[in-house]
Amino acid sequence: MVKLMLHGAEARAALAQGVGKLTAAVGGTLGPRGLNAIIDRPVGAPIISRDGVSIAEEIELPCRFENLGAQVVRQVSKQTETVAGDGTTTAVVLANALIQEGVGLLASGGAVAVDLIQGLDEAEEAMIEALVAEARPLSGGRELRCITTIAGNDRIVGDLSAKALEAVGSEGLITVEDGPDWRDTLEILEGFTFDRGYVSHHMITDVPTMRAVLNDAYIFLTDQKIRRFEEIASLVDTLVAKDACLLILAEEVDATVLVGLLATQTKGRGRFVVVNPPDFGHWRKAMMEDIGILTGGRVISGDLGHSLAQTRLEDLGRAEKVIVSQFETMILKGHGSPEAVVARRAQIQQQLDQAPQNVERDKLDERMSKMTSGTVRILAGGATPAERRRRVQLFDDALCAGRAALRDGIVSGGGTTLVQLASQLAPKANGKTEPSVLKGLELFRSAMRRPLAQIAENAGRDPILVVETVRQAPKGTGFDARTNKFVDMFEAGIIDPVRVTITSVRNATSSAKMILGTNSLIIDKPEFVDPTAGPARGGGGELLGRA
């Protein structure tokens, strides 16, 4: 196929133009006074969003050369969201600043690309070290709410996200879905919860709520099919004598076995509930083992030669309470060994570290969350489907920022830390620093001011004046765009997770180095055939009138 090419300064200029157009769409959403972007969709309502990565994903430019630059920086936002979950807009704004000024330097002959990139490398390394040293841990629930409120850009979103994180911690499972109402709703599901209910409504103990509630329950786990009641008769007799409750998680339970279990309940002694195991395939086996560790029992596995008839009371797990509805089972406060639970979580984390971004990783994330203190479901409300989708995005941003802050600590937000730390960066003292390397360092320093400048622009203030004031202010003093005042950012609650800031800097610098180090662009020449060109033919009409 025929190719079209651009080279040298012309190629870098086309890339920079594409990056600039993408940033113009994304940058206007940055900060508390940023505005929405409305994106048309072929079907359904338009997307109304302030999420940088959601906006960037929708952008395709008509010029193929410019579109290459836009797609490179679009990867910055996607990678930032993958690693940190927030800071996507900041990453795009940083990348654009590095690229625009860097391309200008190269076009004027004021720098050599290789040395300029080396300077960016050294500056990035120094900045990340400074950010790690600057970070401090969260000091309480107020700061967590500040983080989630800033990331979600909504007080209610921030408050519910903080409550969810406080309930299950940074490792807990929190799902966000479209809600049925205009109000946001938070549901906390404690313990180990999975989507399987009782196999017979005759097992219900609480008729008004249609649930089976077992207090101080034994838990029988097996991957075998229970075909005859005689296989578990001895165990059932033992539990009936103790007047104990039993939850059975089995691959399949024959109808005759269910009849035998229900017959014991009519005598008023014991309480039995049968539930099918969660998930499928090897994930089912792993989750059954997880339940066994949480409850202190073992899985009666046919693969290991275990016999149902020889199962003893000591093989069963225990939990303070089990609640089973038609579609869901909750196992609360299992009696498993804390040491075994910690070891199991460490094992799952090792698998997570090596897992690719696919279904396997999602399942490992789910298992990790269930091995913690529970799960939370957030139902995002809104008057219209478009508003609910937008609030789902806000909740996702708030939760990711909150998790990052809990894990790695926080720094002053609003671009303050980048501006104040950038002024302290210095070249490596090797005595042989090339002028182009120094220009790379200066380029990096200048770009670090751009997020704060963009926030000031979106707030209607002079960006140059705001940046200079913050640069000369005491450490931690920055610009509050909501009040248009210069304040102590920690006292005002304007803080960022350090992981988000580091990821934004790293990904923005990476994309800038790729574009500044580019010499040639190569694309396919569009092939277009106009079907209406030339005389109309067909249908025999061209033969009329010849006779």
Side-chain angles (χ1 to χ4, degrees):
M1 182 174 286
V2 178
K3 306 292 183 181
L4 298 178
M5 294 184 289
L6 283 181
H7 304 287
E10 189 178 9
R12 289 188 289 271
L15 292 173
Q17 287 174 0
V19 174
K21 292 178 180 179
L22 175 71
T23 307
V26 173
T29 68
L30 186 62
R33 291 180 177 252
L35 302 178
N36 295 326
I38 300 181
I39 306 164
D40 187 26
R41 300 302 301 274
V43 179
I47 298 174
I48 303 173
S49 178
R50 287 189 57 188
D51 180 55
V53 69
S54 300
I55 299 170
E57 284 181 343
E58 298 293 330
I59 294 177
E60 293 281 344
L61 300 178
C63 174
R64 299 277 296 280
F65 292 113
E66 292 181 1
N67 193 54
L68 290 175
Q71 300 316 305
V72 168
V73 175
R74 185 166 77 174
Q75 291 301 313
V76 169
S77 62
K78 293 179 69 173
Q79 183 65 18
T80 303
E81 184 188 46
T82 300
V83 175
D86 191 25
T88 55
T89 305
T90 300
V92 171
V93 170
L94 280 173
N96 182 60
L98 289 167
I99 291 165
Q100 302 300 335
E101 294 184 36
V103 167
L105 274 174
L106 296 179
S108 65
V112 178
V114 174
D115 293 338
L116 193 65
I117 291 172
Q118 182 184 341
L120 291 178
D121 275 330
E122 294 184 9
E124 175 194 356
E125 181 182 345
M127 174 59 82
I128 291 175
E129 290 177 358
L131 285 168
V132 171
E134 187 76 9
R136 67 174 182 80
L138 282 171
S139 62
R142 172 186 171 274
E143 290 188 343
L144 178 59
R145 278 165 174 75
C146 290
I147 287 285
T148 54
T149 300
I150 291 171
N153 201 47
D154 183 277
R155 184 184 59 80
I156 296 175
V157 169
D159 188 53
L160 285 180
S161 299
K163 286 181 180 178
L165 290 167
E166 288 171 345
V168 299
S170 62
E171 303 296 339
L173 177 65
I174 303 174
T175 60
V176 185
E177 305 168 5
D178 287 359
D181 199 359
W182 62 271
R183 292 169 296 186
D184 301 317
T185 307
L186 178 71
E187 299 177 0
I188 300 177
L189 309 175
E190 298 179 353
F192 195 104
T193 305
F194 57 91
D195 296 331
R196 294 289 187 274
Y198 43 71
V199 298
S200 171
H201 69 277
H202 295 291
M203 298 174 177
I204 292 170
T205 65
D206 188 351
V207 176
T209 62
M210 294 295 289
R211 299 187 306 177
V213 180
L214 309 180
N215 293 310
D216 193 17
Y218 286 87
I219 300 174
F220 180 26
L221 303 165
T222 180
D223 61 2
Q224 302 180 57
K225 299 178 180 179
I226 307 177
R227 300 193 181 278
R228 296 181 298 111
F229 182 73
E230 290 74 17
E231 293 177 312
I232 59 172
S234 175
L235 184 63
V236 169
D237 290 340
T238 303
L239 292 166
V240 168
K242 292 173 64 67
D243 195 20
C245 302
L246 176 67
L247 173 70
I248 299 176
L249 270 74
E251 190 78 20
E252 183 180 321
V253 178
D254 195 80
T256 58
V257 178
L258 294 178
V259 171
L261 291 172
L262 293 173
T264 63
Q265 296 183 173
T266 61
K267 303 175 184 177
R269 304 290 300 277
R271 176 62 62 178
F272 302 91
V273 178
V274 178
V275 174
N276 291 325
D279 235 308
F280 303 94
H282 69 280
W283 294 317
R284 169 173 287 186
K285 292 183 179 180
M287 203 165 285
M288 290 275 280
E289 291 174 358
D290 293 343
I291 296 174
I293 290 172
L294 280 171
T295 60
R298 69 167 180 157
V299 180
I300 308 304
S301 174
D303 294 342
L304 299 177
H306 298 159
S307 170
L308 294 174
Q310 296 177 358
T311 303
R312 299 174 300 171
L313 206 61
E314 294 77 17
D315 297 326
L316 306 184
R318 297 284 297 276
E320 288 191 16
K321 180 176 285 189
V322 175
I323 302 174
V324 186
S325 66
Q326 185 178 359
F327 303 108
E328 188 174 65
T329 298
M330 289 188 288
I331 301 174
L332 309 180
K333 298 182 179 179
H335 291 191
S337 163
E339 294 79 10
V341 173
V342 170
R344 186 67 167 185
R345 288 184 58 192
Q347 180 189 25
I348 297 173
Q349 186 60 55
Q350 287 183 346
Q351 293 175 282
L352 263 173
D353 293 340
Q354 301 174 7
Q357 294 287 344
N358 57 13
V359 176
E360 188 76 21
R361 185 176 185 86
D362 294 340
K363 293 293 184 181
L364 289 169
D365 277 327
E366 182 181 355
R367 286 178 55 203
M368 175 63 84
S369 67
K370 290 181 183 299
M371 294 297 288
T372 57
S373 54
T375 61
V376 170
R377 181 186 299 132
I378 296 176
L379 302 177
T384 64
E387 183 181 358
R388 287 194 287 272
R389 285 197 298 269
R390 174 176 173 270
R391 291 187 73 79
V392 167
Q393 293 175 347
L394 296 179
F395 274 113
D396 286 337
D397 286 349
L399 291 169
C400 288
R403 286 193 182 100
L406 288 170
R407 291 169 181 164
D408 299 318
I410 56 176
V411 293
S412 55
T416 302
T417 300
L418 293 178
V419 169
Q420 295 181 342
L421 291 182
S423 61
Q424 304 171 13
L425 298 180
K428 292 183 178 179
N430 54 18
K432 299 180 181 179
T433 304
E434 295 289 338
S436 295
V437 175
L438 292 176
K439 288 184 178 179
L441 178 62
E442 288 301 322
L443 167 62
F444 188 88
R445 284 176 177 164
S446 175
M448 292 302 107
R449 302 168 186 167
R450 186 57 203 164
L452 175 57
Q454 184 72 59
I455 291 172
E457 281 183 23
N458 293 344
R461 295 292 297 271
D462 181 359
I464 298 175
L465 177 61
V466 169
V467 169
E468 191 60 26
T469 303
V470 171
R471 189 181 68 82
Q472 297 180 5
K475 181 181 292 187
T477 298
F479 175 64
D480 183 352
R482 290 187 184 275
T483 63
N484 283 328
K485 296 180 180 178
F486 295 92
V487 297
D488 183 296
M489 304 301 269
F490 285 101
E491 290 183 4
I494 305 173
I495 47 182
D496 287 335
V498 69
R499 174 184 293 191
V500 170
T501 306
I502 288 174
T503 305
S504 299
V505 170
R506 180 177 286 128
N507 291 337
T509 307
S510 174
S511 66
K513 290 188 295 185
M514 283 190 289
I515 287 180
L516 296 177
T518 297
N519 185 66
S520 297
L521 303 181
I522 305 171
I523 64 171
D524 294 331
K525 182 178 180 180
E527 292 185 356
F528 177 72
V529 177
D530 186 356
T532 66
R537 297 181 180 276
E542 70 276 8
L543 303 177
L544 295 176
R546 288 188 179 182

